[in-house]
Amino acid sequence: MNDLLLDVMEVSKTFARGRLLSREKIVAVNKVSMQLAAGQPEILAIIGESGSGKTTLARMILNMETPTSGRLVLDGTDLAAMGGNAARLAFMHKVQPIFQNPFESFNPLKRVERYLLMTRLRFTGAAGESTAAVAVDAALHKVGLSLKEVGGRYPHELSGGQLQRVAIARALLAEPKLIVADEPVSMIDASLRMSIVNLFRTLRDELGISIIYVTHDLATAYYISDRIMIMQKGSVVESGDARTVLKAPRHPYTRQLREAVLLPEVASAPAIVTPNMNGLSPGAPERRA
Amino acid sequence: MHASVEQPHGDQEAQPLLVVRDLQAYYRTSHAGVRRGIRAVDGVSFTVRRGEIYGLAGESSSGKTTLIKSIAGAIKPPLEIVGGSMEFAFLSGYGGLHRAARAELERIRWRHLSYIMQGSMNVLNPVRRVRSSFVDFAYPHIGGSLKQFEQLVVAHLARVKLDPSVLTAFPHELSGGMRQRAALALATICRPGFIIADEPTTALDVVVQKEVLGMIRGIQRETGSSVLFVTHDMGVHAHITDRLAIMYAGRLVEEAATAEIFRNPLHPYTKNLISSLPRIGEDAPRAGLAGAPPNLADPPSGCRFHPRCPLASEICCREVPVMREASSGHRVACFAVNGGDGA
Amino acid sequence: MVAFIRELLRYRTEFRIGLALVAVVLLLSMMASFSPYPPDSVYVVPPDLPPSLTYWFGTTSRGQDVFWQVSFAIRNTLLFGGTVALVSRLVALAVGLVSGYKGGWVDRALMSVNDTFIVIPLLPILVLFYFVMRDRISWLMLALIMACFGWAYDARLIRSVVMSLRQREFTQTSLFSGMTTRQILTEEHLPYVVPILFSTTMNNMVWSIGLEVTLAVLGFTDINTPTIGGMIYWANQHTAMVAGIWWWIAFPTIAVIMAFIGLFLLAVSVNAHIDPRSRLWSTGEAS
Amino acid sequence: MSGYAGYVGRRLAQFLLVVFIGINIAYVVTHASPIDPVEQSISAVTSFGNTAPDAIEQMRKSLRELYGLGGTPVQQYLTFWKRILSADFGPSLSAFPTPVGTLIGRALPWTAGLLTVSTLIAWVLGNLLGGLAGYYRQSRGLKLMGVIAMGLHPIPYYILAMLLLILFGFIWPVLPISGGATMNLPQTLTPEFVFSVLQHAVLPALSLILIGVGSWFLGMRSLVSNVLAEDYVVYAELAGVNSWRILTSYVMRNALVPQVTGLAMSLGGIFNGAVITEKVFGYPGLGSLLVDAVYAGDYGLVLGVTTISILSVSVGVLAIDLLYPLLDPRVKVS
């Protein structure tokens, strides 16, 4: 029991739609189990399309949603049995989230450093604002920023990439063991995306933090994750070592996803000719491999 | 005014469909005596040929959305066309849709020029059946009896693998993919010569996205339309476009046949965009670019990419590089590639 | 907050006009403290005099100075509206917050009751209330019973704001930054609720004052406390219009209409300014 | 279609809840009084003249029952409901021995007619003009109308009605200012009678319409400016769809959806206004009946009018709710 950081046991989540008379149940997550080992930091990607239940699962791990059935145990604590403010703080000390939309992650009316300082003061018992500020600056340096750049700024004064870095720095300030990131780069510009993705790798290797990376993007998942889990309509259809699964998918759905990835390689196939300039029959090259 | 509407299937096949020359589109606001300008599109020139899918790639602040709005003639304050021209094969002499007469526009729109919009999940009127959208949009251009028209619509829907029953459905009764295909059918039913597609598949799941892209390609081949295809997703560009232009901070930085761009990117920005794309099966580390895209209210001097450019030299801070042909059909705006003097 | 008000002053003509109207009415009501006559004494001045330099707004058939009467009346009327608004705000805020944050069946149950209170026609019930209370009805009692009905529509508004706030990601960021629920409510969410609270307060005052005037004109309130409605009631009792004592009705009417339009414009302009789209429009801060 | 059935079920449940809570409020209000309402009513009635002692006794008995003053609290409560459900409010005290039900039955059509017609006119006109004002932002005439609406909307019914009364009663007396029809006309469907009814309805209707129009106008105008930014409108504009078509089928059609909900929500308030208007113009509807009943101390009549008001407003709301899916196809899946 103790050698697991996270133990998800047969969790399900159903949502009821409609009211009183016309009730229908939607199974968002269906008996999903998964484990993360303690002391062995890794990046686990949960992959799925919209409606696959990946976000609901992530929210259950973050205790933002209560499972309909099944159990979640984080570092020895059963999430269902967790009561009281102290227990909640202790939980958030271990698990921190990164959200999809960096522009929405901070209150537009407040300065962003407020959240950084708050996190430090609440979770690590930092003595006073000035020691907290030192830690905040250090955390910002880990994500390639500094308190000088970020201090006193409102969210709209920072770019999406900067804000997502601040969000990661904030999570780091709680010194968590696990970070749950739901589509953390899908709204980040292409030129900045990989530096954020690489950051997750650094967190794993240098800070020993495990990361659950929720995404629809197979390519980035392949790039950074150690293990992956493919979800379809609430169930896990395939899971295992990222490279093995993505290079040789077994489940038909995984194969379908794998084939739908639009790869630049297709275009660099040598059969390409310059488009015909003479209009009517567009000289679109045959590209299907 | 020598404006005239030409048939898309006339004899001037070699004539390009759209020529954009040195377009400048700014957002200008003035309040409390302070004038501010955001130079969202600043000197963009390119040509869309007949029957090709011309791709435009750029990130969120690159100005690509403003460029699309300008071409579509959807100019509302504070957006202004400050300079340059846009000449369409089917509408010459005006220098852009925003200057065309109303009657002219009514004739052109949807018949010669249609759109597939960003977020086109929501382009169908939510309180009316899908059929009425087809009638409103296309019937005035196609004419004939309503019955014939409906037969035509049904036949066209089959091209996007939609059942005729979608016509009697309300938009909310269709799935996201079905709505997207209905929007695609709506945009192509008049067989327009030119289609502007703005992030048409961004909101779709990957499997559906691939299917819809295939349909766009199929219809485009059949009708011989030209498509201006805008998306930030390089994978989509690789899959569907014939030629590709890369936009950065309001200007084009590179343009070539899509395959050429992916095989031999010249501009340092493009190089990074392509080399940073992760690929399944490749384990080499990818690096993102340092810095952030510039604020267009106060862009960097000279080449707007120079603060983030690994190759930047002193001239890049001073002078603006122009697009020059590096090899046949491959244009790039970079001093490091084109050599020092800029012009 | 200060910046918000400064922006309103700068970009919203409605806000400026509203503020000016409300200021005039407030000034008039504050004059009441300097009245040479107690509000309820009659025949202190010669009756039925038209407006003049001595009696600015003329005098009534009951020998009262209309100017000082209007001053007392508008003060009491505003106090009445303020009391109703204050009490009903407490209910609206409580219901809106609970409904919005709790969600689920609590929300559904509260909103069912809420919608009921929106729909029920209040005037017959107030009349019924007067009927059973008769002379024992007091100013405060009426204010409280109106407050019991005046919260529902605004509770719905507050609920919808709260629901969207709860959904927003920054709320989760605050939670995972270790903020307490109280902190999230007061520091993160309150700034979004305050403008709504303000504009609904203005609208609620318009509503309750309108009802009070109506009831008073019909004689269904405590007619001995001078209010705007009470003044019109007495004027009607003395058939002032037929007798040509128009100033007895005209001045209180003008005062209350100024109050109404002023309060309403304040509400409208704040509302419009919260809406980000129209805010961009007016401040010209596009994109 | 099961989605529609579910919707209807929910609306019916809400309807029953409104009636239940409304009647309970009436019960609590009548039982909150510290004074004996029966004796008070009787003294109010008897002070008007000589009433036979046995009639007074009968009244007292009927009133005590109506108030539910006999028996345990539970029995009182049940009796109260029984009388309301059987629509039996006893004889009217002021028009003894005519039953309260008859008086209400006479007054109800006047109110229903006035209210329906004026609300419909105000709603249609306000939405039409507001829609145009939101769409053609630059039009000076429509801008001016916006200013007028802003000024008219917050004025309470009584004040506006009074202003109209002064205007058309004293300054420019062209319209009848009191009553539902000319007194001595037989109440049958003769052209004279109909004309007289219409003529008498002009002023009360006008006051209701003037205030109503303002609020619908302002609501619609802001809704339209929101709808204008929706993708489907922008898209239709880009597609060169005829601008009248865009205004009607796209902009107004979608903006109307919340306005229908708004109509249902404000029906109670509109009814309040009608009560006042009727009193000001001496219109023979529920409002006048209610006010006169209070003056006459007629408890049964006051209670009867109150409960009927709650009931008829709820029915009106239910009717609008049930028509709503015709306008918004999305409710079926909600």
Side-chain angles (χ1 to χ4, degrees), chain A residues 1 64 86 116 159 166 192 263 265 270-271 279:
Chain A
M1 209 42 164
M64 287 159 65
L116 300 167
S159 76
V166 175
L192 304 166
L263 291 170
E265 278 79 11

Side-chain angles (χ1 to χ4, degrees), chain D residues 128-138 142 217 220-225 228 247 251:
Chain D
L128 199 68
L129 293 173
L132 290 170
Y135 194 67
Y136 300 108
R137 257 180 228 243
Q138 307 306 324
L142 290 165
F217 179 96
M220 189 65 173
R221 192 176 61 174
S222 75
L223 282 169
V224 161
S225 49
L228 280 179
L247 175 63
V251 178

Side-chain angles (χ1 to χ4, degrees), chain C residues 37 45-60 64-68 245-248 251:
Chain C
Y37 324 106
V45 290
D48 295 344
L49 293 179
S52 65
L53 279 178
T54 333
Y55 304 108
W56 291 0
F57 289 1
T59 66
T60 71
Q64 293 163 314
D65 186 324
V66 174
F67 178 81
W68 296 113
I245 321 288
W246 54 267
W247 51 89
W248 195 355
F251 288 110

